[in-house]
Amino acid sequence: MEYLKIDEAAKKWGIGIRRVQILCSEGKIEGAIRFGRSWMIPKDALKPLDARTKAGRALANEDMPMPRKTPFLYMSDLYNTPGTADAAAESLAYNHEAQALFAAEVAYSRGEIDKVYDSANYLLRKHSGFFAVIGGGMLLAMCAIWKGDIDMWRRAKIHISEAPAKNDNDRDVMQLAISAVDIMLYNVQSFPKWFQTGCFTPLHKDSYPAAKVYYAKFLYAVAYSVATGVMKLPGAEGLYVMTSVPYTIEPMICWADEQSTVMSEIYLRMTCAAVYHNCGNDKEAVRHIDRALELAIPDKLYGTIAEYCRILYALIERRLAPLDEDAWNEVKRLHKIYNDGWTRLNGNIKGQQIIAKLSDQNRVVARLAAFKLSDAEIAARTNMSLSGVKQAIKIIKEKSGLSRDEFAAIL
């Protein structure tokens, strides 16, 4: 763990050195360690509430509720303008848990995973309130994906399931959180029946922006499972279901734009872009990628963009590299970390060997083959020659040891 000296903490929090010394001696800075006459303060420690102020006296001894009734604070309207993520975090200084959770969620969106891990553990070890525990558990699960750590993944789900729920609404939020964790690995089985129909009424409206994001991911995962033959739906096969998904996501994007929920709009647009790309409509995919990048770049939310490189690598490179080469290099770096971790974790959970070392072009070919497209259709979609497609299929089979009908298992 990294530490700050007294003067460094004073400068960071905008208070006097003497005040920091008093707070340390009174035990009000969690994790502070004394060395002789000096103190070392954890770098991620939060500025203690000032009980000398009126607001501080009112809140100092209370279990402060979240400013929004949701563990997904960064998807709420607290973050409503691109480029203001850090300012939004600062505005939550009056509420320790909310500030820690919001800042950690933004850090995740930037790909700052070690920082996220420290914050998640901070929230989970300090006996936080319900929403903070749910949020901390989800952050830990997100870290597990990037690190490919199955034990961390299981521990995260236990934390979520043990959050101090007080009523049925809390338990519905808990169930959605577990499902939101599972959907990261394309598992749609844990979503409650009410959610699968697009009904969000069991949730508080503050959770609606996040619910829409996870509903879009749910629809995409179902469509993907149908397209690859993993899931059977009567009268539906191939990309038929996938082509209908934008009719649901597009209105949600308009809603997110109107509500100025920046993070939810980014996720919705990137999910919709993935759907369009899989259906061969890159014109519409690019439209959403461009707007998502416009929203993400001011706050350097490159971790979120990197998540979608598994599907949209070539399109993201084409749109981002000419716009901001440094940003693209960072997205590319984060994508490698995320892809390696995701592949390792997914393989361990499913008990399968999942191939991570396919070239980007061969990964595209494998996905289209999993969608049951013919070699000729794949060639037309990718602008490859027919012989090039056949050679790619051969390489994928040799590296994976799977037949063409089993390619979905390595994606």
Side-chain angles (χ1 to χ4, degrees):
M1 180 180 290
E2 297 183 61
Y3 290 89
L4 300 174
K5 296 179 180 179
I6 288 282
D7 58 337
E8 293 172 327
K11 182 178 180 181
K12 176 182 176 182
W13 293 334
I15 59 179
I17 292 176
R18 178 58 181 158
R19 182 61 187 161
V20 177
Q21 290 172 328
I22 292 172
L23 291 169
C24 286
S25 63
E26 292 178 346
K28 293 182 178 178
I29 300 179
E30 185 169 343
I33 303 173
R34 186 163 190 165
F35 290 95
R37 295 185 178 181
S38 186
W39 289 88
M40 299 300 290
I41 299 169
K43 190 174 181 180
D44 64 347
L46 298 177
K47 177 182 177 181
L49 188 69
D50 190 347
R52 299 170 300 173
T53 66
K54 183 177 180 180
R57 286 191 298 273
L59 296 172
N61 297 315
E62 294 182 10
D63 179 17
M64 295 179 293
M66 285 288 166
R68 299 290 184 276
K69 294 184 182 300
T70 175
F72 317 98
L73 287 183
Y74 71 143
M75 291 190 195
S76 73
D77 61 356
L78 291 171
Y79 179 29
N80 53 44
T81 306
T84 66
D86 292 330
E90 285 297 321
S91 73
L92 295 171
Y94 66 91
N95 188 313
H96 302 314
E97 290 187 347
Q99 187 176 47
L101 178 56
F102 183 92
E105 289 173 336
V106 171
Y108 174 78
S109 298
R110 290 171 172 161
E112 299 169 348
I113 303 306
D114 289 338
K115 185 175 181 180
V116 176
Y117 179 76
D118 288 341
S119 296
N121 283 306
Y122 168 80
L123 289 166
L124 293 171
R125 73 172 180 258
K126 69 182 292 290
H127 306 294
S128 303
F130 173 74
F131 290 117
V133 171
I134 293 288
M138 290 193 66
L139 288 170
L140 195 63
M142 293 171 178
C143 291
I145 292 178
W146 284 73
K147 294 177 179 292
D149 189 329
I150 191 169
D151 291 331
M152 188 187 300
W153 171 267
R154 289 168 176 161
R155 192 164 74 252
K157 296 181 76 170
I158 290 172
H159 278 300
I160 295 172
S161 65
E162 293 179 345
K166 297 178 181 178
N167 50 52
D168 287 342
N169 286 341
D170 284 354
R171 283 180 278 276
D172 286 329
V173 171
M174 184 187 298
Q175 192 172 13
L176 176 58
I178 289 288
S179 302
V181 166
D182 287 342
I183 198 64
M184 297 174 191
L185 300 179
Y186 293 89
N187 177 5
V188 300
Q189 303 305 317
S190 61
F191 278 105
K193 294 297 183 182
W194 54 265
F195 185 85
Q196 293 182 28
T197 64
C199 172
F200 304 148
T201 51
L203 306 171
H204 190 278
K205 64 180 181 180
D206 288 343
S207 286
Y208 283 11
K212 290 176 185 289
V213 167
Y214 290 113
Y215 189 61
K217 289 188 174 188
F218 166 76
L219 293 177
Y220 174 78
V222 169
Y224 189 92
S225 296
V226 172
T228 57
V230 174
M231 180 182 291
K232 303 295 183 183
L233 289 181
E237 60 182 19
L239 290 169
Y240 175 78
V241 176
M242 186 85 72
T243 59
S244 68
V245 171
Y247 293 102
T248 300
I249 301 181
E250 290 279 12
M252 293 196 293
I253 292 172
C254 293
W255 180 90
D257 184 24
E258 192 272 332
Q259 296 291 318
S260 298
T261 52
V262 173
M263 205 68 237
S264 62
E265 184 177 347
I266 292 172
Y267 272 114
L268 287 168
R269 286 189 182 276
M270 293 303 291
T271 303
C272 200
V275 171
Y276 278 128
H277 177 61
N278 283 334
C279 293
N281 190 346
D282 281 352
K283 180 180 178 181
E284 290 302 307
V286 163
R287 175 171 66 87
H288 285 298
I289 290 171
D290 285 350
R291 176 55 180 162
L293 292 176
E294 185 181 341
L295 294 170
I297 287 175
D299 278 312
K300 299 183 178 181
L301 307 179
Y302 304 142
T304 298
I305 303 302
E307 286 184 40
Y308 286 87
C309 281
R310 285 184 59 81
I311 307 163
L312 299 168
Y313 188 96
L315 287 183
I316 293 172
E317 180 181 21
R318 189 201 314 167
R319 307 308 295 180
L320 181 55
L323 187 65
D324 189 329
E325 186 175 357
D326 289 340
W328 166 243
N329 287 334
E330 179 64 5
V331 168
K332 186 166 55 173
R333 182 186 73 83
L334 292 173
H335 162 60
K336 184 180 186 309
I337 298 171
Y338 180 84
N339 187 52
D340 288 349
W342 186 95
T343 300
R344 187 162 58 253
L345 178 64
N346 201 19
N348 286 336
I349 288 175
K350 294 180 178 178
Q352 297 175 324
Q353 181 182 7
I354 298 178
I355 307 300
K357 300 303 182 183
L358 292 176
S359 69
D360 295 318
Q361 185 178 64
N362 284 354
R363 184 172 294 281
V364 171
V365 170
R367 186 171 67 252
L368 296 178
F371 289 162
K372 315 306 179 191
L373 271 65
S374 67
D375 288 353
E377 289 171 323
I378 295 173
R381 178 80 69 86
T382 59
N383 292 320
M384 296 172 64
S385 66
L386 188 57
S387 61
V389 172
K390 292 181 182 296
Q391 180 63 21
I393 295 291
K394 180 180 178 182
I395 291 172
I396 296 164
K397 287 180 177 179
E398 290 174 350
K399 286 191 173 184
S400 66
L402 299 176
S403 69
R404 185 182 182 123
D405 290 338
E406 299 172 310
F407 280 179
I410 63 173
L411 297 173

